[in-house]
Amino acid sequence: MGKIVAVTGNEACAYALKQINPDVCAAYPITPATDLMQRFSGYVSNGQVDTELVLVESEHSAMSACIGAAAAGGRVATATSSQGLALMWEMLYIAAGTRLPIVMPLVNRALSAPLNIHGDHSDGMGARDTGWIQIYSENAQEAYDNLVQSFRIAEHLEIRVPAMVCMDGFIVSHSIERVEYIDDADVKNFVGKFQAVHPLLDLEHPKSYGPLILTDLYHEYKRAQHEVMTKVPGVVLEVAAEFEKMTGRKYGLFEEYRLEDAEIAIVVMSSAAGTTKDIIDQYREKGVKVGLLKPRMFRPFPFTQIAEALKHVNAIAVLDRADSFGGYGPLFSEIAGAVMSMDHKPAMINKIFGLGGRDYLPEQAEQVINELIKISETGKVGAIKEYIGVRE
Amino acid sequence: MTTKALKLKELAKGEDRFAHGHRMCAGCGAPIVVKQVLMATDYPIIAANATGCLEVSSCIQQFTAWKIPWMHSAFENAAATISGIEAMYRSLVKQGKLEDKNVKFIAFGGDGGTYDIGFQALSGAMERGHDMMYICYDNGAYMNTGIQRSSATPFGADTTTCPAGDVIPGKLQNRKDLTRIMAAHGIPYVAQASPANWMDLMKKVQKAFEIKGPKFMNVIAPCNRGWRSRTDDAIALAKLAFETCYWPLYEIENGITKITAKPKEKKPLVDFLKPQGRFKHMFAPGNEYLLEQAQAYVDAQWERLQKEAAFWGEE
Ligand SMILES: Cc1ncc(C[n+]2csc(CCOP(=O)(O)OP(=O)(O)O)c2C)c(N)n1
C-alpha cells in the first residue's frame, strides 16, 4: 500500500510525473498549470528524474518540441491551461495525426476575453476535436490516478494516441486533499518501459515524418484515425482493470452514482460531481430517485455505454462548465447524441454553470433536481438551455 | 572525426542524402543548398523542416527524397521541433538508452518560416543552447503560397502582396537583417553563405558541425518563379548577389566577424536586379530613385560589415 499524503492536485500530478520519469518534458508557464511544472522542475534540478526539461518560449513551441521529442522515440509529457492550450491548438492536431503518445495534464481554466484565470472547461472543450484522448478528473486522487494510467493508455501499441488528463483549475489543482500515492516501484512497473515505434533516432532506418497527403489519401488517413479512436475505450478499461488490481481503486469510462434505479439524473464532469453527489444523497433520503453520471473519458465519447446507463431515466439535466455560444453546451450535445439511440427518450435540459471559476453551490444542484422532479411529473420542459448561478 | 576533404571528385562519389526525384521546380536554388549542406559532412544528420516549398516538394505520400531521418510538423516551429528531437537524443544518451553517434541536428526553413512566423521559435531555440544548426534558405518571399512578401523581401521587389502599382512601387521596406539578429543572440556560430560559392558554404557547414551549441546559417536560394528570372539562372544570380555585395559572405564566430570571401570588384546592384522580373518596374523612367535607394542600402550594409570585420582585424 502506498503513502497517504495531503497534497494539491498539481502537487500530486507533479509527483506522478516524477515517479514516471519521462525522457523529455517541454513546458511553458500558465496559471493554474504553472505550479505543476514548477514542482517538476525541482525534481529535475535535484536530479530526482532523468528528464531533459526544455523550457520553451511559448506553448506552441512546447507542443512542437514534445512532438519532435516523441517522434524521436521516448516518453514525453507537458502540462498547460487555457490560453496555453489555445496557442497549442494547431500542434494538438499534429500530435494526434502523427499518432504520438504525448501525455498532458490540462488544468482546466476559462478562456479570454475577458481574462480570467479560474476553472472551467472551455479550454478542454475547445480541443475536443483534436484527436486527443481526454480524461476528466473529479479530485486530486483521480487526477493522480488518471495521469499514471494515461501513459499506459496513450502508449498502448494498438492505439498510440496522445492523452490529456484534465482537472479543474484551482478547485482541484490548488486545493489540498487526501491522496494515496502508489509506491514508486509499482508505478514504474505499471507504466513499464517506453516502446518506440519508428523512432527518428533510428539512424539505420531513416524515417520521414509529416508528409504532404492530398485528396487521394487524406480522407483515408482520417478514417484510420477515427478507427483507432474506437479502440480506445477497450484500452482504457483494460488499463483501469490492471490499475484496480494494483490499487483497489476502480475506474471506468464514466462513474455512476445511485443511478441504477434513478428516475431522474444529472450528468456532470469533474469537481462539480462531488457537490452533486452530496445533494443527491439528501434527496435520496427524502425518497427522490435521483442519480448521477460523471463522464471520465470525454474523448472518445462512450455513446453506447452511456445510453445503456441512462436508458431507464425519465429526465436528464446535463451540466456544462463550458458553453458553445449559439449552441448547446458541449457535454449536452454528446449526451443528446447518446440518447438518440434509445427507444424511450428522456426529457433533457442543459445548464451552463461555474464559468470562470464561479462557485457551484449546493443550491444550484438543488434547483436542478427540483426542476427535474417537475419535468418528470409533468413531462413538460421549459427552457432547454439556461445559465445557472448567474448574478442578475 | 576528421572533416571530409572538399574535393569535387570525392564529393561526386559520395552518397546523395537528398535524393533525385523530389518535386521542386526546375532550377530552384533550395535543393542545391540542401545537397551542398548534406554533402559537406559524413556525420549522421537528423533534420526538421518548416512548411514551405522544400517541405511540400520533398515528401509526398509514400515518396520521400530524404535518406536521413526527417520531420516536418508545421510552418513556424522547425526550430522548436528539432529542439525536441535533440533533447530526446541527449536524454536517451545520458540515460544510457542510446549510443552516442555524434548526430548532428539541422532545421531547414524558408525565409517566411524563419524571419517571420518562425522567428520566435528560432530565437527561443538559440537562446536555450540546443546543439543544432538552423539553416534558412532565403528566397526572399513566401514562395510556396504564391510569392507573397516576407520581411526578407528586398526593397522595391514586386510580389503578389506588394505588387508594383501606380501608387506603391513594390516593397517599401528594406530586408530584415536576420543574420545580424541571430549574431546578437551571442551564439557560437552565425554565417551567411551562397550555393554559388559552394566551397565557402561547405566549409562553413563543416566548421559549424565541429562547434557544440546553436548555429545559424542564412543561405541565399534563388527562386526563378518568384524572382521572375531564367530557369537556369539560380547559381548565376546567387553569384551576382555576392558580387554586388547584396549578399555578402561572412561568418561571426564567437562574436568575431570575418568576411570569408570578397568580390574582386564590387559590381553595381543593378547587375543583380536587372535579370529579375520582380525589379523590372524599378528600371522604368522616373523610378531611378528606387534604384538609388536600393543601392544606398546595400552600400551602407556592406560598409558597416567591412568596418565590423576590420575592427576584429578579420577583413
Ligand atoms: C500557421 C500557418 N500560416 C500560414 C501557412 C501557409 N503557408 C504555408 S508555406 C507558406 C510560405 C512559406 O514561405 P517560406 O517560409 O519563405 O518558404 P518557401 O515556400 O518560400 O520555400 C505559407 C504562408 C501555414 N502553413 N501555416
Side-chain angles (χ1 to χ4, degrees):
Chain A
M1 176 146 140
K3 208 169 33 171
I4 310 259
V5 290
V7 291
T8 65
N10 275 346
E11 211 173 334
C13 285
Y15 194 74
L17 286 184
K18 171 181 172 278
Q19 294 180 303
I20 290 156
N21 192 14
D23 298 304
V24 170
C25 286
Y28 191 82
I30 181 163
T31 308
T34 311
D35 168 57
L36 197 164
M37 269 300 160
Q38 216 166 273
R39 289 172 188 277
F40 185 73
S41 317
Y43 298 133
V44 175
S45 286
N46 293 320
Q48 290 164 285
V49 288
D50 301 308
T51 312
E52 272 300 321
L53 187 57
V54 187
L55 298 171
V56 283
E57 79 305 323
S58 74
E59 286 88 352
H60 193 284
S61 284
M63 190 44 66
S64 299
C66 284
I67 286 169
R75 190 166 274 150
V76 176
T78 180
T80 196
S81 292
S82 181
Q83 308 306 120
L85 189 74
L87 192 57
M88 280 181 189
W89 196 74
E90 179 191 31
M91 299 319 297
L92 294 177
Y93 281 82
I94 293 171
T98 314
R99 307 273 302 279
L100 300 171
I102 300 162
V103 171
M104 173 163 65
L106 173 68
V107 187
N108 291 117
R109 165 184 150 181
L111 286 170
S112 283
L115 179 60
N116 178 298
I117 58 165
H118 290 278
D120 76 30
H121 296 169
S122 307
D123 50 3
M125 290 300 145
R128 67 176 185 184
D129 300 336
T130 55
W132 282 60
I133 294 167
Q134 288 193 335
I135 294 175
Y136 285 78
S137 321
E138 180 180 326
N139 49 42
Q141 183 71 61
E142 285 195 9
Y144 171 81
D145 290 350
N146 285 335
L147 188 52
V148 171
Q149 291 174 67
S150 67
F151 283 87
R152 279 286 303 281
I153 296 166
E155 292 171 13
H156 197 285
L157 288 170
E158 262 174 56
I159 58 171
R160 300 299 269 207
V161 177
M164 275 175 218
V165 175
C166 309
M167 66 172 140
D168 286 344
F170 289 105
I171 302 165
V172 175
S173 68
H174 285 64
S175 304
I176 295 177
E177 290 179 53
R178 174 198 184 278
V179 173
E180 189 178 325
Y181 281 158
I182 308 159
D183 286 338
D184 290 357
D186 288 341
V187 172
K188 197 173 166 193
N189 189 39
F190 181 80
V191 172
K193 266 206 177 117
F194 182 83
Q195 285 175 280
V197 178
H198 305 310
L200 266 180
L201 296 180
D202 180 356
L203 298 167
E204 274 70 52
H205 306 92
K207 293 283 180 305
S208 286
Y209 269 82
L212 174 72
I213 304 286
L214 296 174
T215 43
D216 38 3
L217 276 178
Y218 182 87
H219 201 57
E220 285 67 29
Y221 267 76
K222 292 295 127 177
R223 201 227 353 224
Q225 216 177 323
H226 154 75
E227 278 174 358
V228 159
M229 280 311 242
T230 64
K231 295 185 189 161
V232 173
V235 170
V236 169
L237 291 175
E238 181 189 316
V239 172
E242 252 185 75
F243 188 83
E244 189 185 351
K245 250 188 242 155
M246 173 173 69
T247 63
R249 294 192 287 277
K250 191 175 173 61
Y251 287 91
L253 304 176
F254 47 85
E255 182 192 333
E256 293 164 72
Y257 185 76
R258 307 189 86 161
L259 190 61
E260 211 166 285
D261 63 337
E263 285 161 7
I264 55 177
I266 291 182
V267 179
V268 68
M269 300 202 302
S270 302
S271 65
T275 311
T276 309
K277 287 175 196 167
D278 283 348
I279 305 307
I280 285 174
D281 287 345
Q282 289 173 19
Y283 275 77
R284 280 278 177 175
E285 267 166 41
K286 291 190 266 179
V288 178
K289 289 190 167 176
V290 54
L292 169 134
L293 187 143
K294 179 189 80 178
R296 171 181 178 237
M297 185 182 76
F298 185 77
R299 275 294 176 271
F301 197 77
F303 293 102
T304 48
Q305 296 91 330
I306 284 183
E308 183 59 30
L310 289 172
K311 69 169 193 269
H312 54 281
V313 302
N314 299 324
I316 303 171
V318 181
L319 273 55
D320 267 288
R321 204 163 202 151
D323 197 359
S324 168
F325 304 100
Y328 292 121
L331 182 57
F332 180 87
S333 298
E334 302 301 0
I335 298 297
V339 160
M340 221 179 59
S341 65
M342 297 182 189
D343 296 332
H344 154 75
K345 296 208 175 27
M348 283 183 66
I349 51 171
N350 185 197
K351 304 294 181 194
I352 310 291
F353 77 102
L355 301 187
R358 170 62 50 84
D359 280 331
Y360 172 67
L361 301 170
E363 298 89 87
Q364 291 170 25
E366 287 165 11
Q367 178 197 331
V368 172
I369 296 172
N370 291 341
E371 191 175 333
L372 283 175
I373 294 170
K374 239 199 202 138
I375 290 171
S376 182
E377 281 166 8
T378 63
K380 281 202 190 102
V381 172
I384 297 180
K385 177 184 170 184
E386 192 184 35
Y387 273 61
I388 57 170
V390 189
R391 290 187 177 156
E392 300 293 353
Chain B
M1 182 180 267
T2 49
T3 42
K4 189 172 173 178
L6 294 179
K7 297 223 171 68
L8 258 188
K9 227 179 174 175
E10 294 305 309
L11 291 173
K13 278 191 244 158
E15 190 211 3
D16 232 343
R17 292 198 275 180
F18 185 69
H20 313 274
H22 59 73
R23 302 186 199 176
M24 302 292 276
C25 301
C28 173
I32 306 176
V33 172
V34 173
K35 282 199 174 193
Q36 291 183 2
V37 168
L38 297 182
M39 221 180 250
T41 178
D42 288 330
Y43 281 122
I45 292 175
I46 299 180
N49 202 163
T51 310
C53 290
L54 175 65
E55 167 270 322
V56 294
S57 312
S58 61
C59 184
I60 305 174
Q61 287 183 1
Q62 67 270 47
F63 305 109
T64 182
W66 300 90
K67 294 187 177 180
I68 56 172
W70 173 90
M71 182 172 210
H72 156 251
S73 72
F75 185 23
E76 64 278 56
N77 65 352
T81 305
I82 200 76
S83 72
I85 299 171
E86 186 262 356
M88 182 57 80
Y89 179 74
R90 253 187 303 125
S91 177
L92 297 184
V93 167
K94 180 184 73 184
Q95 296 178 65
K97 292 180 182 172
L98 191 75
E99 190 193 335
D100 189 355
K101 294 213 172 129
N102 219 337
V103 178
K104 304 296 172 189
F105 298 89
I106 303 185
F108 288 106
D111 49 282
T114 308
Y115 286 65
D116 291 344
I117 198 165
F119 182 58
Q120 175 182 315
L122 169 61
S123 179
M126 296 285 119
E127 182 272 335
R128 291 193 298 274
H130 295 276
D131 188 20
M132 60 170 277
M133 170 137 80
Y134 192 103
I135 296 182
C136 174
Y137 64 96
D138 183 346
N139 54 28
Y142 301 157
M143 297 308 181
N144 186 49
T145 36
I147 322 166
Q148 290 83 30
R149 115 200 250 285
S150 78
S151 61
T153 303
F155 171 80
D158 170 77
T159 74
T160 54
T161 48
C162 57
D166 293 337
V167 181
I168 302 174
K171 194 185 174 204
L172 297 174
Q173 301 81 12
N174 287 313
R175 294 164 39 75
K176 183 195 271 182
D177 192 344
L178 185 66
T179 312
R180 283 185 69 218
I181 296 171
M182 295 324 293
H185 283 68
I187 56 178
Y189 191 73
V190 170
Q192 209 163 268
S194 158
N197 303 55
W198 61 270
M199 182 73 96
D200 176 79
L201 182 147
M202 286 181 161
K203 274 188 187 157
K204 284 171 177 163
V205 172
Q206 290 193 334
K207 184 180 239 181
F209 279 153
E210 297 309 319
I211 299 170
K212 260 237 154 340
K215 283 85 64 177
F216 175 82
M217 261 176 85
N218 206 355
V219 187
I220 191 167
C223 161
N224 56 57
R225 302 284 301 124
W227 294 15
R228 282 183 273 133
S229 51
R230 284 169 31 144
T231 312
D232 53 359
D233 260 0
I235 296 301
L237 283 171
K239 188 155 178 263
L240 281 167
F242 161 67
E243 289 169 344
T244 56
C245 297
Y246 167 84
W247 192 268
L249 303 181
Y250 66 101
E251 63 188 11
I252 302 172
E253 191 181 351
N254 295 318
I256 297 173
T257 305
K258 180 181 176 183
I259 297 171
T260 54
K262 253 188 185 179
K264 282 196 191 73
E265 147 207 26
K266 179 169 174 264
K267 291 187 173 167
L269 183 65
V270 290
D271 289 8
F272 173 64
L273 305 184
K274 197 83 202 234
Q276 303 183 48
R278 61 176 174 159
F279 299 117
K280 190 165 163 231
H281 59 287
M282 294 169 78
F283 291 89
N287 278 350
E288 292 79 6
Y289 77 101
L290 292 175
L291 293 173
E292 279 162 26
Q293 232 171 288
Q295 182 69 62
Y297 180 69
V298 167
D299 290 347
Q301 291 285 93
W302 176 237
E303 196 62 30
R304 197 199 43 71
L305 178 65
Q306 283 180 297
K307 275 191 189 146
E308 207 172 287
F311 173 80
W312 293 108
E314 296 280 357
E315 210 179 341

